[in-house]
Amino acid sequence: MPTSASSNADGQVRPKSNRPEVPMATAKNWLREMMLIREFELRCMQAYQDKKIGGFCHVYIGQEAVAVGTIAATEARDPIVTAYRDHGHALARGMDPKHCMAEMYGRIGGCAKGKGGSMHMFDRDNNLFGGHGIVGAQIPLGVGLAFATKYEDEVINADKNGGKSNRVTLAFLGDGALNQGSVHEAMNLAGLFDLPVIIICENNGYSMGTSIVRGTTMGHQISVKSEAYGMEGVEIDGMDVIETYWAMKELVDKVRATSRPIFVDMRCYRFKGHSMSDPRKYRTREEEERYEQGDPIGVLKAHLELRGLTEDDHKEIQREVRATVKASMDWAENSPTPPTSDLYRDVYRERWGPYTGTSEPEMLGGAEIECKFNAIDTTIDRKADLL
Amino acid sequence: MSIATMREIEFRDAVREAMSEEMRRDMRVMLMGEEVAQYNGAYKVSRGMLDEFGPRRVIDTPISESGFAGMAIGAAMMGLRPIVEFMSWSFSLVAADPILNNAPKMLYMSGGQFGCPIVFRGNDGAGGQLGSTHSWSVEGLFSNVPGIKMVIPSNPYDAKGLMKTAIRDDDPVFFLESERLLSMRGEVPEEEYLIPFGQARIARAGTDCTIVAFGRMVNIALEVGIELEKEGISCEVLDMRTIRPLDAGSIIRSVKRTGACVVVDQSWSFGSPGSEVAALVHRECFDDLDNYVHRVHSADVPAPYAHNLEQEYLPNARRIAEAVRSCLYRS
């Protein structure tokens, strides 16, 4: 199977070593998660065509192994931040598909109460710090999350015995973001301050319609980009969830122990267009078919079949994820739209309301809207621990 | 407060005292920026802080505003309360995306899940012959953005009290200092105090004309008040202290008393705090006004280098006095 974008043909992809076997139940769960993301995204495309979803919508089809394999290698307390192709990360991190779908439907039951949309998935309970729409902007944020976890360990909890959390941050970007200045500034800071962050470049070979070699120097081997920032650069086959998991597990353990940042060139392929409006005229159908043969879901399924997964098992998972996604759509459909009074909520944390230009600043008031994601308690002790 | 505890300190000392007190009080507060630690601050605002708090809490960053502003915002999302020094607010423009697109929108975009308790501070405004690129008054540009709070102190007392409030605030605060004011001395009590946001100060009481002023311009407006007193014109000078939230009530109450209003704002006139105040006063005090609101801004040109041109570029005493006389039909 192909392991990298055609334009990366010269790239060195790590040879698969002799990894321990993943327990069947775990691997089966990964298959279920990847199939859930696939089904979720297919239904998103449909809902977008039906104008249930507005704005921009970028689906994750083809890259499921990346979110599932990398996030499986983390602990729930490890912070994660990503770009705008974020549904897969949200689901892999444990966001209820209902809240994810309702967000895209612009409903109050969405993870951000309908204020964020497809590109801005936030989930405080699952330590998902967004979904960010500006290309590359999330990498300085991710480096900041790592800065905060390290600060928590070394300053706030310095006196506490065994108080170190040693959390590892995953910060995802696409290969198109590699040429943003903020990404390089952030990599320099991560290297300079020894921050426990893994910067994962989901290298699907295209920044929108521009193939990597047309926009990026050393596009065939982007892992060298991190060298200048004192960061190890690692290439991983992101089309194989088992390989992704083991390679990432190694890196996560390493960063947890050393607090040194690492850069990952995660080789993958985006089966669909950049966004819903992309006719994909910049690449050939032959190229797409070649990658589709290495579909990460098919690869895992074939692996599990060797270990006894039956066609009935597979159908059962398919039925299950279809039902889950269908339920998420029904739930989203039935979730109320945000009340118009919500327009003015959450602009400021405390009493100053938005500026109306007519009188004294207004106090925020009104009843809290009940949903899974309540506003943060602002009465926390000033010396309290971090999130 | 008793007089015995007052002492005279510089504006820069007041800002430093506020930061240091808050860092002693709350371990989550830290300072980062270019030259803030070993160099003791490009303008000596952070002098001595490295010695007291160490390199983990007073952090020298590379010249990388977009990177370190974004990093600080990520840290704030996680629960830290960073203070980020821009050597000059002019340099914040390369960090426009994190400070305008991330910090003020995070709470809203996340449906209230992730706030951004952060203070961005640094020098703002022209006057040092630094030429066009280094002479920004960012209040016009940045006050346009909902989700931020903007503070612009005019004296050491306010600088300290407002900085302490800024650090304790749960929202992103843009704190605009003036390089021209850093050596200004003023009385500051030794006891702790905080100044709430959104409360203007009547810097000078008067009956004929309200001068609404921001930051350093308050001091020039006060000089004008003394001069015009000799002509029999009684000016009331409002020191707004914060631009967001804007203390509209104090402006309205004052203008209803005086019936005349001049705004002094060192940013450019087009889409500025000054134009916002004028719109507000015209709307709320329409029947009280004897003339339209007069506005004194920096000239609508890039900041020039030559000393005489720069002095003419900025709102100055002559231009403010002319505006007051014109507003009162006394010219």
Side-chain angles (χ1 to χ4, degrees):
Chain A
M1 57 163 268
T3 51
S4 62
S6 58
S7 47
N8 294 336
D10 300 327
Q12 298 286 309
V13 174
R14 264 194 164 195
K16 284 170 199 161
S17 46
N18 289 328
R19 311 282 198 192
E21 196 162 65
V22 178
M24 186 66 181
T26 305
K28 213 170 138 184
N29 190 45
W30 291 348
L31 181 67
R32 195 194 60 81
E33 282 185 25
M34 288 164 66
M35 287 169 66
L36 174 72
I37 295 171
R38 177 73 53 95
E39 175 70 13
F40 187 90
E41 297 292 51
L42 286 168
R43 301 286 273 185
C44 275
M45 293 175 75
Q46 204 176 54
Y48 191 88
Q49 306 288 3
D50 293 344
K51 303 204 185 309
K52 298 279 185 194
I53 297 174
F56 292 140
C57 189
H58 312 84
V59 298
Y60 201 59
I61 293 171
Q63 296 178 217
E64 294 92 342
V66 179
V68 171
T70 54
I71 291 172
T74 64
E75 295 174 17
R77 65 202 176 90
D78 292 328
I80 285 176
V81 67
T82 186
Y84 45 81
R85 196 180 304 283
D86 56 351
H87 316 159
H89 305 81
L91 296 176
R93 238 308 144 108
M95 184 187 287
D96 190 320
K98 296 197 301 268
H99 298 133
C100 194
M101 190 64 86
E103 186 58 35
M104 280 183 270
Y105 274 52
R107 303 301 171 94
I108 191 68
C111 64
K113 300 177 189 163
K115 294 261 185 66
S118 165
M119 298 190 285
H120 305 113
M121 295 293 169
F122 290 86
D123 188 346
R124 187 182 175 91
D125 292 347
N126 286 310
N127 283 312
L128 175 66
F129 288 76
H132 294 274
I134 301 294
V135 173
Q138 75 281 8
I139 301 304
L141 300 180
V143 166
L145 298 173
F147 177 91
T149 61
K150 185 163 172 155
Y151 185 94
E152 180 187 24
D153 284 350
E154 297 189 349
V155 178
I156 295 178
N157 294 332
D159 303 333
K160 294 182 189 166
N161 288 329
K164 288 207 187 315
S165 71
N166 292 321
R167 284 189 278 183
V168 177
T169 297
L170 300 190
F172 293 88
L173 70 159
D175 49 286
L178 276 177
N179 302 313
Q180 280 283 34
S182 58
V183 171
H184 290 268
E185 292 188 25
M187 291 209 282
N188 183 56
L189 291 165
L192 195 63
F193 296 143
D194 283 340
L195 299 179
V197 59
I198 305 179
I199 296 173
I200 300 169
C201 180
E202 295 192 55
N203 182 1
N204 62 27
Y206 292 93
S207 65
M208 206 165 157
T210 302
S211 72
I212 189 161
V213 290
R214 287 208 298 129
T216 304
T217 51
M218 293 300 287
H220 62 286
Q221 198 188 349
I222 59 170
S223 57
V224 298
K225 301 266 177 194
S226 63
E227 227 174 89
Y229 303 113
M231 294 165 67
E232 185 185 351
V234 178
E235 291 166 9
I236 297 177
D237 175 7
M239 300 291 275
D240 179 341
V241 69
I242 293 178
E243 174 59 20
T244 301
Y245 169 78
W246 283 119
M248 280 301 298
K249 183 78 174 62
E250 212 172 87
L251 300 184
V252 169
D253 290 347
K254 193 182 210 175
V255 173
R256 217 183 284 293
T258 62
S259 184
R260 286 289 307 160
I262 292 176
F263 176 86
V264 172
D265 174 6
M266 185 69 77
R267 300 295 177 91
C268 54
Y269 197 77
R270 184 190 74 211
F271 286 5
K272 302 292 178 185
H274 164 73
S275 67
M276 294 301 297
S277 60
D278 173 7
R280 320 204 294 278
K281 291 197 170 142
Y282 45 84
R283 64 191 193 190
T284 62
R285 187 63 200 130
E286 290 69 35
E287 178 186 298
E288 292 183 352
E289 278 166 3
R290 201 162 67 246
Y291 282 102
E292 281 161 13
Q293 281 163 24
D295 183 338
I297 292 178
V299 168
L300 180 60
K301 180 171 172 258
H303 168 82
L304 289 178
E305 278 165 357
L306 294 176
R307 295 174 64 184
L309 184 88
T310 66
E311 199 49 42
D312 279 350
D313 293 338
H314 179 253
K315 276 185 181 148
E316 175 57 30
I317 299 173
Q318 188 64 50
R319 263 196 300 276
E320 191 193 314
V321 299
R322 271 194 191 136
T324 303
V325 175
K326 179 68 173 53
S328 77
M329 295 176 85
D330 292 343
W331 195 85
E333 188 75 54
N334 290 321
S335 175
T337 53
T340 48
S341 60
D342 239 33
L343 182 63
Y344 292 102
R345 285 191 64 84
D346 294 328
V347 179
Y348 293 99
R349 177 51 69 67
E350 38 72 278
R351 66 196 189 101
W352 296 110
Y355 175 63
T356 59
T358 55
S359 61
E360 302 200 39
E362 290 170 6
M363 303 294 186
L364 279 177
E368 284 283 332
I369 285 134
E370 281 305 315
C371 85
K372 179 181 171 241
F373 301 98
N374 283 320
I376 299 158
D377 180 8
T378 57
T379 60
I380 47 165
D381 176 3
R382 295 281 161 190
K383 290 202 171 59
D385 287 345
L386 299 182
L387 293 179
Chain B
M1 72 203 59
S2 68
I3 289 189
T5 61
M6 295 296 263
R7 71 250 131 89
E8 217 176 64
I9 60 173
E10 290 185 358
F11 192 109
R12 57 164 62 80
D13 302 324
V15 174
R16 176 175 57 254
E17 281 190 5
M19 293 192 293
S20 296
E21 286 175 18
E22 292 306 303
M23 283 179 65
R24 284 174 210 131
R25 179 176 173 273
D26 185 343
M27 292 290 278
R28 295 175 302 174
V29 182
M30 37 80 55
L31 172 68
M32 68 167 76
E34 293 152 7
E35 310 293 359
V36 297
Q38 287 192 22
Y39 195 88
N40 277 312
Y43 294 93
K44 304 299 171 218
V45 175
S46 58
R47 183 164 48 206
M49 289 179 70
L50 173 65
D51 289 343
E52 177 174 356
F53 298 104
R56 294 204 189 282
R57 298 186 69 196
V58 180
I59 298 165
D60 278 327
T61 62
I63 301 174
S64 195
E65 284 86 359
S66 183
F68 69 75
M71 180 174 79
I73 291 165
M77 288 175 76
M78 199 73 188
L80 295 189
R81 307 180 79 85
I83 306 166
V84 176
E85 175 175 313
F86 291 126
M87 197 181 293
S88 159
W89 273 99
S90 295
F91 308 159
S92 75
L93 300 184
V94 296
D97 185 61
I99 70 172
L100 301 181
N101 230 350
N102 287 333
K105 297 177 178 172
M106 207 62 81
L107 185 68
Y108 197 79
M109 269 196 333
S110 67
Q113 294 182 76
F114 295 105
C116 196
I118 193 167
V119 177
F120 297 105
R121 48 160 290 267
N123 289 316
D124 174 75
Q129 282 192 274
L130 302 179
S132 292
T133 58
H134 282 50
S135 297
W136 270 88
S137 297
V138 295
E139 49 270 47
L141 269 188
F142 295 167
S143 66
N144 189 240
V145 182
I148 66 159
K149 293 175 181 172
M150 183 175 278
V151 182
I152 183 160
S154 70
N155 62 75
Y157 178 88
D158 283 2
K160 182 171 179 186
L162 290 166
M163 176 55 81
K164 285 173 70 80
T165 304
I167 294 168
R168 293 187 197 186
D169 198 281
D170 288 324
D171 294 310
V173 178
F174 288 27
F175 196 94
L176 312 186
E177 296 153 24
S178 164
E179 189 257 335
R180 303 279 92 196
L181 291 184
L182 288 178
S183 298
M184 176 190 193
R185 298 183 71 81
E187 287 202 328
V188 174
E190 282 178 5
E191 288 88 357
E192 177 170 81
Y193 64 98
L194 284 88
I195 299 174
F197 289 171
Q199 283 187 14
R201 176 178 69 98
I202 298 177
R204 177 189 174 87
T207 54
D208 297 333
C209 180
T210 300
I211 303 179
V212 177
F214 301 93
R216 176 175 170 237
M217 295 299 125
V218 171
N219 301 302
I220 302 172
L222 286 170
E223 289 168 21
V224 170
I226 293 167
E227 278 308 302
L228 290 179
E229 191 76 55
K230 296 171 189 164
E231 300 175 21
I233 297 172
S234 168
C235 294
E236 177 147 302
V237 177
L238 283 187
D239 180 346
M240 294 314 297
R241 287 175 164 165
T242 58
I243 293 173
R244 267 181 182 267
L246 184 70
D247 183 2
S250 288
I251 297 172
I252 294 163
R253 283 189 294 276
S254 175
V255 175
K256 282 184 183 294
R257 280 198 303 272
T258 61
C261 181
V262 170
V263 190
V264 186
D265 168 10
Q266 66 178 348
S267 61
W268 290 308
S269 60
F270 199 111
S272 59
S275 59
E276 190 58 37
V277 169
L280 171 85
V281 172
H282 286 141
R283 180 161 163 175
E284 298 289 319
C285 308
F286 193 74
D287 293 332
D288 306 287
L289 291 171
D290 295 324
N291 202 340
Y292 68 90
V293 175
H294 283 49
R295 295 162 57 198
V296 185
H297 286 274
S298 285
D300 195 24
V301 299
Y305 163 74
H307 181 69
N308 66 318
L309 290 182
E310 189 182 44
Q311 290 307 306
E312 186 56 22
Y313 163 85
L314 281 165
N316 52 42
R318 177 181 55 75
R319 285 171 56 202
I320 297 169
E322 282 170 7
V324 174
R325 289 192 201 101
S326 167
C327 194
L328 297 174
Y329 303 100
R330 300 276 285 266
S331 47

